[in-house]
Every structure is written in C-alpha cells, then in structure tokens.
Amino acid sequence: MASSTSAGGGRAGDTGIGRRVQRLRTELGLTQRQLAEPEYTAAYISTLESGRVRPSETALRHLAERLGTSVDELATGRPAHLATELRLGLTDARQLLGAGDAGEAAELVRKLLVTAERHGFTAERAEALIALGDCALDLGELTEARESFEAAELLLAGEPLPRRAAAVRGRAVAHLLAGELRYSCYLLESAIDELNRSGLHDPDALALLHSAAIAPYMDMGAYARAAQSAEFALALAPSISDPALVARMHRGVARAMIAEGRVAEADASLTKAQELYRQLHIRTELAHCHWMRGYVHAQDGDLETAESELRTAREMLASKRAQLFTAQVEVELADVLRRRGRCEEAAALLGRMLDGIGAALGPERGAVHAAGAHRLLGMIADDGGAADEAERHYCEALSLLEHSGAAGDLADICRLLGDLLRREGRTEAALDAYRTGLGHRPAPGTTTLGTGPAEPSL
C-alpha cells in the first residue's frame, strides 16, 4: 500500500477536497478504510480529509470512482455537467436577445454569471459578460455595456486575441454609440494590428473587427480605410464559420459601398444579411437591416422607399424597447419626412428626444444622432424664418460634433451655420464657420443624415 505522502503527491493540503471527500463518504455510509482499500490506507484518507495532504491524479481517480462522482467535481466542487448547462443557458439568452427581448435576456445572463463566478468558470463567465454587454447595447445602457466588455477583456487577458475579439468589438461599439469615434477606431485598429503582428489569421475575428470599424471610419471621414475594411471583410466571407457574423459583415459593408456610389451592391449585401437573419430568427439585427436599407435609399434619393424601411425598423425596435436605437432611427426618419416637405411631422417626431433628464439622445448617448436632431430642427426653423432658433440648434449640433470626430456631419453643420450667419450679415462669424467646415471633406454615405453636402463657397 502507498504511504500518505507518496499517495498525496506532496505535502501541501487542500481542505476543499478533503471536505468534499468526507461529505460524500459520509453520505454513502463508507468508513475511511472502505473508501481507501485496496490502494490506500485509512490513515491516508484521514489525513486527506483533514486537509493536510492533496491527492494525486491517481488518488483522485480512485476516490471519484468509489464516491460515484467525477474527478473534476471532486477536485473543484463544481457539479457535474455545470459548464454544459451554463453554455446552454447562454445560448438561450442569445436567442432571447436575437428575438429582441434584451431585458429578459439580461436577467437570465445575470443569473448565469453568478453561477459561473461562484464555481470559477472563467470562460463561461467571460461569455456571460459579453452577452450582458450586448444586452446593454440593445437597451441603450452604454456605461453598463462598456463595463461588461471591459470585465470580459480583463478575464481573458491571458488568452489569444481571437478569444477577446468579441469583447473588443463590443467595447468599440459602445464608444461609437456614445459619440467617441476616435477611441472606437483606436480600439479596433489596435486589435487588428495585434492580430496581424501575431500571425493569428483567424477569419472570424478579423471579419468581426473589420466590419465593426466601417461605421466609425465613415463617420470620421476616413473613407479609404472604411472601403479597405469592407473589402477585407468581403474577402473573408467564404472562410467565416458563423452565419450571424456573415450577416453582420454584409450589413456593415453596405455603408462603405454607398460612399463609392455602389448602391445596387449595397442593397444586394443588405438582402443577403436579411435572408440570413430571417433564417436565424434574429429579429433585432433584421430591424437594423431595414434601418440600413432606409439609409441607403435616403442617400440615393428614393425617399418613399426610405420612409417605408425606416418605419419598419422603428416599429420593430420600439416594440422591443430598444430606446436608443429607436431614437436614432426616428432622427433619420425625421430627415426623410423633412425632405418630403412634411416639416411639422418631422419636428413633432424630434421634439421629445432632446428635452429633459430622460432624453433619448444626448452628449454621452447617441451624440452624432443628437447632433442630427438639432441640425434638422435648425433647418426647419431656418426655413420658417426663425433665425435665432435655427442658430441655437446649429450651435448645439456643432458642440456635440466637435468632440466626436464625425467629419461629414461637422462639415455639413458648419456650412448650414455659415450660410445662416452670412444671410444675417455677420460675415466674419460666417467665415469662421466655413473655415472650420473646410477642414473636413464630406462625401455620399459619410453623413448621418441626407446626402453629402456641397462645400461652401466663400
């Protein structure tokens, strides 16, 4: 028979294992000798149960077999199959999120997260945090989203970047929605560079990061980079294993195509994305496809179709309480209504978004679309002869955009403000506004609303 020291594989003990062995032995009505024989001694079991020795792998297998449990459960205290149950629960939560029930999905994820933390499941805990961040994005809770993604990145700090890509992408999207475009680009570019330097050619991770980079690039006026990311993502499509990621990629590249005047190709990409989302029953992303199609048709001047698509997106998102995304769609819908001559309807739609503590949009919550709402209200006031009110809205929009890096929108608002100031006879102020705008070069597809503006003529 083996001695207690050799059987234990060392002198360091483990009271957790010892307590579990004692509990299970007692529940089965076994004596220490009955549990030990024929390989070990009762003295060894007594030493192990008191926590003065840690069992070797061989001893763990012997004890687990005699106690009717698994080696992992005996060593860690984790119930058998718990990791599988956690993963199944996260799959259920993802299905709820895809169906648009972000609140219910978040409640389920929080319960799973507590279980994962209690039993030390690092991978499942990270997945739960990423899922919780995605739920918070849908609900417009950007601070909670950032914190969840940051916590997931911290847990996975020692893992290869492909394992961390979803957390990086989520954090970048949260900063994008808050209007922090430069930092969003920085996060994504840093991750892409790290992937390229390390030689980890992971198609899914690269497609995820490049697709996410298109929107902040476009808002910042980095059109060449946006087009390059779109081409990379399209080239990776045949190698991507996740159909939801393929759909997201097609949705992302559509905006870059618009900037190059490739309207038919943009529409084709969105058609592919919509078909995949329908097959996968992902309702929220399907709503985003209708939203993007509305944007594409608005840029192309087909306002009737744009209105129809945006109303569909609005209805789908509003029914699932996606407040931030619903408000952003409503701003774009208001732009289409104004361009169709329905200014009163547009103003009424915008009126409730910007006022009060519970405003749907603001400096740290959809800042670019908040600026878009002020832009539209300024244009409506300007057309109605209310110059002071128009100037106030234009200045509010400019203030929101100055720190966001949204180049196309900033150029547009500077042109509008400059034109207003020039008509009022305030030439020097108008020149200042024009000079600010001339530092940015808008193009089709690079402004949040409407078509790319003409450059001001001094």
Side-chain angles (χ1 to χ4, degrees), residues 4 86 91 106 113-115 119 132 196 201 219 221 253 268 279 282 306 313 324 355 373 376 417 441 448:
S4 62
L86 283 170
T91 299
L113 183 58
V114 169
T115 302
H119 293 284
L132 193 60
N196 291 333
H201 184 73
D219 284 343
V253 302
Q279 292 173 7
I282 303 179
L324 176 58
D355 297 326
L376 291 174
L417 179 59
R441 297 232 173 224
T448 304

Side-chain angles (χ1 to χ4, degrees), residues 214 218 223 226-231 251-262 266 292 444-445:
I214 293 170
M218 294 298 292
Y223 321 131
Q228 187 179 44
S229 281
E231 292 301 327
R251 180 164 65 83
V253 302
R255 188 176 176 191
M257 290 176 173
I258 281 293
E260 297 179 324
R262 297 156 61 185
M292 181 55 72

Side-chain angles (χ1 to χ4, degrees), residues 14 26 76 88 129 163 169 238 251 259 288 354 393 407 427 437 447 452:
D14 190 316
T26 304
T76 65
L88 289 172
L129 285 166
R163 292 284 308 280
R169 175 260 171 196
R251 180 164 65 83
H288 282 262
L354 303 172
H393 282 298
T427 306
T447 53

Side-chain angles (χ1 to χ4, degrees), residues 326-345:
T326 302
Q328 290 177 321
V329 170
E330 287 178 340
V331 173
E332 297 189 28
L333 176 59
D335 177 58
V336 170
L337 293 173
R338 185 197 64 80
R339 291 165 66 189
R340 299 193 74 184
R342 292 147 63 185
C343 292
E344 290 186 6
E345 188 178 349

Side-chain angles (χ1 to χ4, degrees), residues 17-360:
I17 293 178
R19 284 196 299 270
R20 285 189 288 276
V21 169
Q22 185 179 41
R23 176 177 57 79
L24 291 169
R25 177 180 64 78
T26 304
E27 288 174 358
L28 292 171
L30 298 174
T31 66
Q32 290 178 335
R33 181 178 298 278
Q34 288 172 325
L35 176 60
E37 291 179 343
E39 300 294 332
Y40 304 100
T41 65
Y44 168 64
I45 299 299
S46 176
T47 304
L48 187 154
E49 289 183 349
S50 65
R52 295 197 298 274
V53 68
R54 180 182 178 84
S56 66
E57 288 297 321
T58 302
L60 273 173
R61 284 194 293 273
H62 167 82
L63 294 169
E65 183 178 352
R66 297 300 305 274
L67 293 169
T69 187
S70 68
V71 171
D72 183 66
E73 183 173 357
L74 190 61
T76 65
R78 299 166 180 163
H81 311 301
L82 181 58
T84 301
E85 291 171 7
L86 283 170
R87 287 192 290 271
L88 289 172
L90 288 169
T91 299
D92 291 342
R94 285 288 182 188
Q95 289 175 343
L96 286 170
L97 180 60
D101 296 321
E104 188 176 346
E107 289 181 13
L108 175 56
V109 172
R110 288 190 184 97
K111 294 176 182 177
L112 296 169
L113 183 58
V114 169
T115 302
E117 289 174 341
R118 181 186 303 130
H119 293 284
F121 284 101
T122 302
E124 287 75 15
R125 183 181 172 192
E127 287 299 317
L129 285 166
I130 292 170
L132 193 60
D134 286 336
C135 291
L137 286 179
D138 270 23
L139 293 168
E141 302 295 338
L142 302 184
T143 300
E144 182 181 348
R146 285 196 299 269
E147 290 173 351
S148 295
F149 292 127
E150 286 169 359
E153 282 190 77
L154 186 62
L155 273 178
L156 299 171
E159 298 291 332
L161 182 55
R163 292 284 308 280
R164 293 181 274 121
V168 174
R169 175 260 171 196
R171 191 150 66 100
V173 170
H175 284 286
L176 169 65
L177 291 173
E180 299 162 354
L181 309 184
R182 293 186 182 89
Y183 192 62
S184 177
C185 286
Y186 164 76
L187 290 173
L188 294 165
E189 286 180 343
S190 298
I192 291 169
D193 287 344
E194 184 180 338
L195 268 177
N196 291 333
R197 285 195 309 269
S198 64
L200 294 171
H201 184 73
D202 186 290
D204 284 18
L206 283 168
L208 182 69
L209 296 170
H210 276 295
S211 298
I214 293 170
Y217 277 153
M218 294 298 292
D219 284 343
M220 289 181 64
Y223 321 131
R225 290 191 181 188
Q228 187 179 44
S229 281
E231 292 301 327
F232 276 139
L234 284 171
L236 290 165
S239 305
I240 299 173
S241 58
D242 181 3
L245 178 53
V246 173
R248 177 178 287 170
M249 179 272 297
H250 279 295
R251 180 164 65 83
V253 302
R255 188 176 176 191
M257 290 176 173
I258 281 293
E260 297 179 324
R262 297 156 61 185
V263 178
E265 291 176 71
D267 199 51
S269 273
L270 289 170
T271 299
K272 292 176 184 176
Q274 284 181 306
E275 181 57 34
L276 285 167
Y277 285 136
R278 286 193 186 98
Q279 292 173 7
L280 296 167
H281 305 290
I282 303 179
R283 180 179 171 84
T284 302
E285 295 290 350
L286 188 58
H288 282 262
C289 282
H290 284 290
W291 179 1
M292 181 55 72
R293 291 191 92 144
Y295 176 84
V296 167
H297 288 294
Q299 291 285 336
D300 196 39
D302 184 357
L303 300 182
E304 183 178 355
T305 305
E307 180 180 347
S308 175
E309 292 285 359
L310 290 171
R311 286 192 182 280
T312 299
R314 177 195 183 199
E315 181 181 349
M316 293 174 73
L317 291 168
S319 68
K320 299 302 180 182
R321 302 190 302 278
Q323 185 189 34
L324 176 58
F325 291 136
T326 302
Q328 290 177 321
V329 170
E330 287 178 340
V331 173
E332 297 189 28
L333 176 59
D335 177 58
V336 170
L337 293 173
R338 185 197 64 80
R339 291 165 66 189
R340 299 193 74 184
R342 292 147 63 185
C343 292
E344 290 186 6
E345 188 178 349
L349 189 60
L350 295 166
R352 63 181 175 79
M353 294 181 195
L354 303 172
D355 297 326
I357 296 175

Side-chain angles (χ1 to χ4, degrees), residues 374-383 387 389-399 413 416-418 420 423:
H374 280 292
R375 166 190 180 268
L376 291 174
L377 289 169
M379 293 175 75
I380 292 169
D382 202 353
D383 290 342
E389 183 181 352
E391 182 179 351
R392 177 175 64 82
H393 282 298
Y394 290 154
C395 288
E396 286 282 355
L398 186 59
S399 176
I413 203 67
L416 291 167
L417 179 59
L420 172 64
R423 290 195 303 272

